[in-house]
Amino acid sequence: MNLIALLLPAIAGALLLWWGLGSPRFTRATAALVLLPGPLLGIALSSCTYYVFRLLWQLPSGTYHGIEIALWLLLLAVGHRLFAGAPITSTSTATTTGTGGPSPPRERHARLLLQGLFLLAAIFAATRFALLSLRDPHGGIDAVSIWNLHARFMFFGGPEHWQQITLLKYAQPDYPLLLPAAIARIWGLWDSGAQVAVPAVIALLFSVATVVLLVATLLHFRGPLVAFAAGTLLLGNPLFTEHGASQCADVPLSFFILATFTGLAAFIISNDRGAPNHRFLFFAGICAALTAWTKNEGIPFFILAFLGVIVNALRHPS
């Protein structure tokens, strides 16, 4: 059952995102979106169920996993009922830039050059991420004293004693718990203690998913030139790799902020074209809420995003 509980949120997140996108045909962009940001949404949401059912309600481990599996299966059934079988045509949200025929030679050369630069930047960023992770396997100072420390209190303290983290004021006990809860949940399914690799892998997944989400979104809306240029600039920023390898919440927060803007942009475009699709708004709302569950800075972002949607709805009722 542990393996099912470990994999089910990731699979469910990927399926829900695919259905939310209208069950599109698998291009490189849609496959990348489904296979990386989708599972991370599931992992993020599973941190909520872990916090509520395991820590707050103090359910035994076996009971908690059984309830969580049932909830995910129910969510999949509801999502399939609501979303599957109602595809969204690509013209409702995507621009047609660069899709009207064969590209001129200059544009093809520019695209190949940018793809090569993007690949080179990805290799350098991956190498630097690996070296930083090997040098500091427990992450940066904030990860050691805050994020991973919270996860260890949750894992070793269990439902009865995890709140003793509030006694350590330097550990910032007021910080949101998405990362610690997700890490502690996986540790509990690992059956071999607090594995150092788990926070590092989660940090790597969020870093890669942020790049994938940026490139895939721009591929859909603006074409390959803009997409690979943006991806290269992001990968070429050493602070992005450094913050990702630090195992802190900055990159996960950036991922959910980017996902929120992506969903809002898709909804606004569909609304401007006379066919508003509220799936995108629903997706943006989930991601905005997860920013508040990721880091304190996400709380004002969530409030502002919520107010922005209300103001836009009042000014442009559909």
Side-chain angles (χ1 to χ4, degrees), residues 283-302:
F283 169 77
I286 291 178
C287 293
L290 288 174
T291 64
W293 183 230
T294 303
K295 202 176 180 186
N296 281 345
E297 290 85 340
I299 298 174
F301 173 81
F302 169 69

Side-chain angles (χ1 to χ4, degrees), residues 250-301:
D250 300 86
V251 171
L253 177 67
S254 302
F255 168 77
F256 289 118
I257 289 176
L258 177 61
T260 301
F261 282 124
T262 299
L264 290 176
F267 172 74
I268 291 172
I269 290 174
S270 67
N271 191 42
D272 289 343
R273 299 194 174 190
N277 196 293
H278 293 86
R279 297 181 192 178
F280 298 127
L281 195 59
F282 181 72
F283 169 77
I286 291 178
C287 293
L290 288 174
T291 64
W293 183 230
T294 303
K295 202 176 180 186
N296 281 345
E297 290 85 340
I299 298 174
F301 173 81

Side-chain angles (χ1 to χ4, degrees), residues 26-162:
F26 270 91
T27 62
R28 292 179 182 177
T30 57
L33 279 173
V34 168
L35 295 177
L36 270 173
L40 278 179
L41 284 176
I43 292 173
L45 291 173
S46 69
S47 72
C48 301
T49 60
Y50 178 82
Y51 175 74
V52 172
F53 293 105
R54 177 69 173 142
L55 298 182
L56 289 186
W57 291 8
Q58 300 187 359
L59 294 179
S61 179
T63 304
Y64 154 68
H65 292 313
I67 291 177
E68 187 186 47
I69 290 173
L71 285 175
W72 279 107
L73 293 176
L74 177 63
L75 182 61
L76 280 175
V78 172
H80 185 272
R81 177 79 174 181
L82 293 177
F83 295 149
I88 304 172
T89 60
S90 59
T91 55
S92 64
T93 58
T95 63
T96 56
T97 304
T99 60
S103 303
R106 182 176 297 179
E107 184 176 331
R108 289 200 301 270
H109 294 158
R111 184 176 69 248
L112 290 175
L113 176 61
L114 285 172
Q115 288 175 340
L117 290 174
F118 175 78
L119 179 60
L120 188 63
I123 293 173
F124 277 110
T127 303
R128 189 163 188 266
F129 188 101
L131 292 175
L132 290 172
S133 297
L134 290 173
R135 187 190 69 183
D136 299 311
H138 294 277
I141 184 63
D142 283 351
V144 174
S145 60
I146 301 175
W147 306 104
N148 292 340
L149 183 61
H150 289 190
R152 290 178 182 275
F153 266 79
M154 291 179 179
F155 177 69
F156 290 112
E160 297 83 9
H161 305 294
W162 72 274

